Amino acid sequence: MTRAALPFGSWPSPISAADLSASGHPVEGGRYVGDQIWWAEMRPSENGRTTICRQAGDTVEVLLPEPFNARTRVHEYGGGAWTVTEDARIVFAEFSDQRVYVTRAGEKPVALTPAPEVASSLRYGELSIVGDEVLAVRESHDGGDVTRDICMIALDGSGVRSLVSGSDFLAYPRLSPDGSTLAWIAWNHPQMPWDGTELRVADLATGEWKTVLGSSEESILQPEWIDENSLYVISDRTGWWSIYRTDTGGASSPLYECEADFGAPLWQLGARWYSVLDDGKLLTVRTFGVDTLAVLDPETGLLDDIDLGGLTSVSLGGRNGDSVLLKAGGAQSPSGLRLLDLSTGEHSLVRSGLETVPDADYLPLGEQMTFQGAEREVHAIAYAPRSPEYQGTEGELPPYVAFVHGGPTAHVAPALNPVFAYFTSRGIGVVDVNYGGSSGYGREYRNRLRGQWGIVDVEDTIAAVQGLADAGLADPARLAIEGGSAGGWTVLAALTSSDVFACGASYYGVAELELFVAETHDFESRYIDGLIGPLPEAIDLYRTRAPVNNVDGLSCPVLLLQGLSDPIVPPSQAERFRDAMVKKGIPHAYLAYEGESHGFRKLETQVNARESELSFYGQVLGFTPPGIPELQLWRPE
């Protein structure tokens, strides 16, 4: 079929912003309860709450009714917000008050933890069942002071008892097979868990504990007991996260080493990169650019890869014999819960994260690309405009939007992202950038951002879009940039320090640093020590790097989008940047959303934000997206 020629950006598309959100219900945490498959599911159409579901024949049964919301605020990013007892009782952290509740399907939840004097001042995460108790990481807020410990919550509601504390942060509580010893991961400010952590073990009878492995320059993750005296752990002591066997005396040896990461930054509690199979072998996930699933024999050191076709992102769920649950997706396959049969290698979809998937002809074909910057190579995935009905006009090059992930230690792989298709099906290219500081390429790549935040991330994103332009794939005069959180910082830093981009959209981005470190939450309150430098020594860098202080270098429009209940990047960050733009007379829009936090979860917010972003690009880059309400920009009189 001959495709009609229309200007890039103005192609009609069947993919609407409402489709993106209404059909999306991200799934995670798949597990077996007996022979049943259960999982957590986020529902944008239900005010963004997370419910628990199970497979019931060909239908999905909701086990946690509205308004209950299984989501913990430990570290604000949460993790491990629910678990299930052997007799199928759901134990979960309720988002509204952060108390732990227990319930059965169809029954009213009952609180297991006491109501604190100050709402949500006690939080619980990484829940797991141990006998008639719930093992958990507890976070306690007392005014401005935040402390954490590992505790046990009685399933009969009779109380909560503390096991260990002794550090600013704790994760991965694991009881030895006989229940006498507790292992966990600990770290202190200003370390982040990908910088340096320690494996600790405690004799629960005496309360005495010791550090077994780890340092300020070694990130230890996911301890799992082998027997009473030895464990598997993940360490990046060689520059790559690998799996080790260690004893409680600290002697350790790697099971397998290669230039790939069997691990990733611990943003959410409970993340796993291996599980022990019934025969003692390990099912593993390793990353270099994309994820690879494999079985590792700890006795021989042999690693056997499992072919998952085009699936490029994989995380481990529960297991029942040879049946393994995975959260996985790829460039042509939506992320969702999948069932893998280890005996045959066959896998099937249990629950897609999307109710409906756009027609394959409208999906971009994510291509992994490496660009050469002035100082280093930069990894990215490019998604060219694609439509079965339209093509650009003769001699025209498409506009491109550089997507900058958050973290900034996050990692992106080729993915069926409906947001990308929303743009590419209209004739707007997308490039998703793994700038220096991203995970998935080893510690050296991750450490490129140490002391260089606002420089390396900006340089690498510019290298990617300029590489596309130099290759004749993108219009150098119509380049945009968008990102959220730390990605929003990169957006604002790039726009105020270069003239490469014609505009940018910052979703809840960091704009200044001095007040940010005072206002943000405890988990990230010292993160800037590593990204920029410690205070007060680095105060001059805080001021010179902050985009809000560099608005004199800004000459293009900016879109700011912000949740008004965001505890991580408070609204004051966007508001200060907005005020600076007003003072300079820069056209812009500031969209503030009531009831939204760090990452928009409500259907109406997601639709408004995405349509506003598209209209914004159209106004600045010179095209009219059909059927999209026009965003009103503030302009100087």
Side-chain angles (χ1 to χ4, degrees):
M1 184 176 96
T2 301
R3 293 182 296 162
L6 284 178
F8 288 111
S10 66
W11 302 351
S13 170
I15 304 171
S16 70
D19 292 335
L20 301 184
S21 300
S23 70
H25 41 70
V27 297
E28 59 184 20
R31 68 183 65 200
Y32 276 95
V33 179
D35 292 328
Q36 295 180 336
I37 297 174
W38 293 28
W39 65 89
E41 187 167 307
M42 197 271 276
R43 298 283 183 91
S45 59
E46 298 175 10
N47 288 317
R49 80 182 184 102
T50 297
T51 184
I52 310 302
C53 302
R54 70 182 170 196
Q55 193 178 38
D58 294 330
T59 63
V60 172
E61 181 181 357
V62 174
L63 302 177
L64 198 62
E66 291 187 85
F68 291 102
N69 186 355
R71 183 177 164 207
T72 172
R73 289 185 60 186
V74 174
H75 297 175
E76 294 299 349
Y77 294 101
W82 68 286
T83 188
V84 185
T85 64
E86 286 189 2
D87 60 352
R89 286 176 290 166
I90 303 170
V91 178
F92 69 99
E94 162 58 33
F95 182 71
S96 62
D97 60 12
Q98 290 298 291
R99 297 172 72 187
V100 175
Y101 288 76
V102 63
T103 187
R104 293 184 187 275
E107 296 182 1
K108 183 179 179 180
V110 175
L112 295 179
T113 57
E117 294 182 6
V118 178
S120 300
S121 61
L122 292 176
R123 307 170 182 182
Y124 305 84
E126 201 165 353
L127 309 180
S128 62
I129 304 298
V130 179
D132 57 1
E133 294 180 293
V134 183
L135 183 61
V137 174
R138 176 170 58 181
E139 183 176 281
S140 305
H141 293 248
D142 182 8
D145 296 327
V146 183
T147 57
R148 296 172 183 87
D149 67 342
I150 294 171
C151 67
M152 285 287 205
I153 305 165
L155 277 168
D156 62 5
S158 60
V160 182
R161 60 189 178 96
S162 181
L163 298 182
V164 296
S165 54
S167 63
D168 293 332
F169 302 97
L170 313 94
Y172 292 113
R174 299 289 191 267
L175 277 176
S176 61
D178 66 359
S180 67
T181 309
L182 179 72
W184 73 99
I185 299 299
W187 69 99
N188 290 306
H189 284 306
Q191 299 296 114
M192 299 301 286
W194 45 89
D195 295 328
T197 60
E198 297 178 355
L199 169 65
R200 294 179 178 176
V201 294
D203 182 329
L204 293 181
T206 64
E208 296 181 357
W209 60 266
K210 64 181 178 179
T211 294
V212 176
L213 292 174
S215 70
S216 62
E217 292 294 326
E218 180 183 6
S219 173
I220 305 290
L221 299 169
Q222 196 191 338
E224 305 289 356
W225 289 96
I226 302 170
D227 53 40
E228 309 300 340
N229 298 303
S230 59
L231 309 94
Y232 293 124
V233 296
I234 296 170
S235 166
D236 73 344
R237 61 178 58 176
T238 66
W240 301 89
W241 273 305
S242 301
I243 304 173
Y244 289 73
R245 180 177 181 134
T246 185
D247 61 34
T248 55
S252 62
S253 58
L255 303 185
Y256 182 88
E257 291 182 292
C258 64
E259 291 191 350
D261 277 325
F262 292 81
L266 186 65
W267 282 100
Q268 289 191 304
L269 294 173
R272 298 189 304 151
W273 295 273
Y274 69 92
S275 64
V276 183
L277 302 176
D278 292 341
D279 61 3
K281 296 179 180 179
L282 307 184
L283 183 64
T284 67
V285 176
R286 72 182 187 278
T287 306
F288 187 89
V290 297
D291 292 342
T292 302
L293 188 70
V295 174
L296 173 61
D297 187 334
E299 300 302 322
T300 65
L302 294 177
L303 187 72
D304 292 326
D305 290 346
I306 298 172
D307 184 4
L308 295 178
L311 300 178
T312 55
S313 297
V314 182
S315 59
L316 299 175
R319 184 177 62 85
N320 185 5
D322 284 337
S323 298
V324 178
L325 296 171
L326 307 171
K327 179 185 175 183
Q332 298 297 306
S333 303
S335 179
L337 184 64
R338 287 174 165 78
L339 175 61
L340 169 67
D341 186 332
L342 285 174
S343 64
T344 65
E346 296 180 354
H347 57 88
S348 58
L349 185 65
V350 175
R351 176 67 163 165
S352 173
L354 298 175
E355 197 68 38
T356 58
V357 178
D359 187 287
D361 289 339
Y362 289 95
L363 296 176
L365 305 174
E367 179 184 358
Q368 293 187 79
M369 302 182 76
T370 301
F371 299 96
Q372 185 60 53
E375 303 289 337
R376 60 201 157 262
E377 287 187 338
V378 181
H379 299 289
I381 303 102
Y383 300 86
R386 187 168 186 247
S387 169
E389 299 179 85
Y390 303 101
Q391 60 185 347
T393 57
E394 186 175 354
E396 182 192 17
L397 290 174
Y400 258 77
V401 181
F403 273 64
V404 187
H405 65 64
T409 60
H411 171 78
V412 292
L416 194 165
N417 186 334
V419 173
F420 295 169
Y422 179 73
F423 290 113
T424 58
S425 63
R426 289 171 164 81
I428 306 163
V430 167
V431 60
D432 209 5
V433 186
N434 278 315
Y435 52 87
S438 304
S439 55
Y441 301 98
R443 189 175 184 113
E444 184 277 330
Y445 199 90
R446 205 166 69 241
N447 283 352
R448 289 180 183 180
L449 213 55
R450 281 195 172 182
Q452 298 297 307
W453 194 35
I455 296 176
V456 165
D457 47 331
V458 170
E459 291 176 349
D460 287 2
T461 305
I462 289 174
V465 295
Q466 286 185 330
L468 289 169
D470 291 345
L473 301 174
D475 185 344
R478 294 195 294 170
L479 301 173
I481 180 172
E482 84 104 79
S485 191
W489 157 277
T490 304
V491 168
L492 300 179
L495 296 179
T496 54
S497 65
S498 77
D499 58 3
V500 172
F501 298 100
C503 61
S506 168
Y507 283 73
Y508 33 87
V510 178
E512 82 63 76
L513 295 173
E514 292 175 77
L515 290 172
F516 170 73
V517 296
E519 295 172 341
T520 194
H521 64 133
D522 181 61
F523 179 66
E524 292 183 88
S525 62
R526 299 289 303 279
Y527 191 11
I528 310 302
D529 284 31
L531 294 174
I532 302 289
L535 289 175
E537 298 90 337
I539 188 63
D540 289 341
L541 279 178
Y542 278 50
R543 293 169 179 168
T544 57
R545 294 270 185 90
V548 74
N549 295 332
N550 297 318
V551 172
D552 282 347
L554 179 65
S555 59
C556 66
V558 180
L559 172 61
L560 302 172
L561 306 102
Q562 178 70 45
L564 292 178
S565 299
D566 190 339
I568 296 171
V569 179
S572 56
Q573 290 285 309
E575 290 162 2
R576 292 185 187 108
F577 199 84
R578 174 204 60 193
D579 293 346
M581 287 193 291
V582 169
K583 186 175 181 180
K584 195 190 175 190
I586 297 290
H588 68 274
Y590 172 50
L591 304 179
Y593 299 101
E594 292 281 354
E596 290 288 6
S597 184
H598 200 66
F600 302 154
R601 300 173 72 92
K602 297 180 182 178
L603 175 63
E604 59 271 23
T605 303
Q606 294 175 351
V607 171
N608 179 264
R610 202 57 70 186
E611 289 187 340
S612 297
E613 185 183 353
L614 180 57
S615 172
F616 173 70
Y617 293 149
Q619 292 179 56
V620 178
L621 303 180
F623 57 82
T624 303
I628 300 299
E630 182 174 333
L631 173 69
Q632 296 300 309
L633 298 183
W634 178 92
R635 299 181 185 275
E637 297 178 356

